[in-house]
Amino acid sequence: MTKIIWMTDPHFQNEGLIGDLNPRTRLKVAIDHMNTHHADADFMVLTGDLVGDDIDGDYALLATYLGQSTIPVYPLVGNNDDRTGFRAHLSLPDGTMDDFIQYSIDTGEAKFLCLDTHMIGSHTGQFCAARQAWLTDKLSSNEPTYIFMHHPPMDLNLPPQDTIKLQDGDAFLDIIREHGNVQHLFIGHVHRPTCGTINGIPFATLGALSFQAPAPRPAWDWDSFVPAHEAPHYGVLYVKNGNTTLQHTQFCAYDVGIES
């Protein structure tokens, strides 16, 4: 069995607040909770939107916080990330693509692919021909494969978030459908838990370590966005003999990290 902790969207800042939220407090509490209750996990995956606007300062301090994890951490890029700053401060496994932060984790039981959907200067995602070719090659082994990514490749019936999904989603979905060995997609970005299937492949999104997006009703848009007063959580993922279980774990109360 492979046990994975899945976290997403810390929006870490080395100083200051996001509204009234201290993202340093939230990340520390999440890592402490993981270390206390899930030290037996094989690794943790962090699916993007790691930092704020101070690229070097944020990544440098983020690396210190992630260094407190007692299990290996595999980070991904999201729309708020910067590949140069990311590479300067965070460790990446051997075999990571030269131009993109895209790599494979092989456990013997299954293959876990961590994708780069970052598009410079945009909140939407991109999955270009080079990244598609890499994915095609990795799927050609026909091993059971699980994919972690930041941007969803499909609409989720979350109207505001659907405007900033993966631009090359249809091409991505064509690749994984053609190969037939992708068991599950794990997606960040939307700051809200959802689940379902696309072309018969299960997917899940996750609430953020930082702030949560409100439910789609009552309707809202980016101009009227106000974070929901909902507690953060992370995922505990078990993979065994082709079967998958995802547990959503609340690691603190909503008001932890909220500063008035």
Side-chain angles (χ1 to χ4, degrees), residues 34 36 80 115 166 178 180 187 232:
M34 177 188 71
T36 300
N80 284 339
L115 303 188
L166 188 66
E178 289 167 6
I187 302 164

mmCIF file of all heavy atoms in Angstrom, residues 34 36 80 115 166 178 180 187 232:
data_model
loop_
_atom_site.group_PDB
_atom_site.id
_atom_site.type_symbol
_atom_site.label_atom_id
_atom_site.label_comp_id
_atom_site.label_asym_id
_atom_site.label_seq_id
_atom_site.Cartn_x
_atom_site.Cartn_y
_atom_site.Cartn_z
ATOM 1 N N MET A 34 0.190 16.769 10.270
ATOM 2 C CA MET A 34 0.640 15.640 9.460
ATOM 3 C C MET A 34 1.743 14.862 10.161
ATOM 4 O O MET A 34 1.710 13.618 10.223
ATOM 5 C CB MET A 34 1.139 16.141 8.103
ATOM 6 C CG MET A 34 1.713 15.064 7.198
ATOM 7 S SD MET A 34 2.480 15.757 5.707
ATOM 8 C CE MET A 34 3.954 16.512 6.425
ATOM 9 N N THR A 36 2.349 14.604 13.268
ATOM 10 C CA THR A 36 1.834 13.935 14.470
ATOM 11 C C THR A 36 0.987 12.718 14.135
ATOM 12 O O THR A 36 1.113 11.667 14.769
ATOM 13 C CB THR A 36 1.004 14.926 15.308
ATOM 14 O OG1 THR A 36 1.832 16.023 15.702
ATOM 15 C CG2 THR A 36 0.433 14.251 16.554
ATOM 16 N N ASN A 80 0.241 30.838 -9.609
ATOM 17 C CA ASN A 80 0.920 31.867 -8.825
ATOM 18 C C ASN A 80 2.405 31.594 -8.629
ATOM 19 O O ASN A 80 3.086 32.381 -7.958
ATOM 20 C CB ASN A 80 0.262 32.014 -7.446
ATOM 21 C CG ASN A 80 -1.051 32.765 -7.511
ATOM 22 O OD1 ASN A 80 -1.303 33.500 -8.460
ATOM 23 N ND2 ASN A 80 -1.903 32.573 -6.529
ATOM 24 N N LEU A 115 2.439 17.033 -12.680
ATOM 25 C CA LEU A 115 2.450 17.794 -13.923
ATOM 26 C C LEU A 115 2.636 19.287 -13.683
ATOM 27 O O LEU A 115 2.305 19.819 -12.625
ATOM 28 C CB LEU A 115 1.153 17.556 -14.693
ATOM 29 C CG LEU A 115 0.809 16.105 -15.031
ATOM 30 C CD1 LEU A 115 -0.407 16.066 -15.955
ATOM 31 C CD2 LEU A 115 1.985 15.380 -15.662
ATOM 32 N N LEU A 166 -7.550 24.645 -17.304
ATOM 33 C CA LEU A 166 -6.489 24.324 -18.247
ATOM 34 C C LEU A 166 -6.945 24.603 -19.680
ATOM 35 O O LEU A 166 -7.951 24.043 -20.129
ATOM 36 C CB LEU A 166 -6.099 22.849 -18.096
ATOM 37 C CG LEU A 166 -4.868 22.357 -18.861
ATOM 38 C CD1 LEU A 166 -3.596 23.009 -18.333
ATOM 39 C CD2 LEU A 166 -4.768 20.833 -18.769
ATOM 40 N N GLU A 178 -6.781 7.747 -24.315
ATOM 41 C CA GLU A 178 -6.197 6.822 -25.289
ATOM 42 C C GLU A 178 -5.335 5.756 -24.622
ATOM 43 O O GLU A 178 -5.291 4.609 -25.082
ATOM 44 C CB GLU A 178 -5.378 7.600 -26.314
ATOM 45 C CG GLU A 178 -6.231 8.428 -27.280
ATOM 46 C CD GLU A 178 -5.414 9.437 -28.072
ATOM 47 O OE1 GLU A 178 -4.164 9.412 -27.943
ATOM 48 O OE2 GLU A 178 -6.015 10.245 -28.792
ATOM 49 N N GLY A 180 -5.463 4.674 -21.270
ATOM 50 C CA GLY A 180 -6.325 3.793 -20.491
ATOM 51 C C GLY A 180 -5.764 3.318 -19.167
ATOM 52 O O GLY A 180 -6.402 2.477 -18.517
ATOM 53 N N ILE A 187 -6.430 17.246 -8.299
ATOM 54 C CA ILE A 187 -6.363 18.577 -8.885
ATOM 55 C C ILE A 187 -6.475 19.648 -7.799
ATOM 56 O O ILE A 187 -7.319 19.555 -6.901
ATOM 57 C CB ILE A 187 -7.516 18.750 -9.907
ATOM 58 C CG1 ILE A 187 -7.443 17.667 -10.996
ATOM 59 C CG2 ILE A 187 -7.497 20.143 -10.524
ATOM 60 C CD1 ILE A 187 -8.727 17.516 -11.795
ATOM 61 N N PRO A 232 -9.873 24.819 6.744
ATOM 62 C CA PRO A 232 -9.045 24.163 5.724
ATOM 63 C C PRO A 232 -8.928 22.671 5.994
ATOM 64 O O PRO A 232 -9.248 22.201 7.091
ATOM 65 C CB PRO A 232 -7.688 24.858 5.900
ATOM 66 C CG PRO A 232 -7.628 25.143 7.366
ATOM 67 C CD PRO A 232 -9.041 25.519 7.754
#
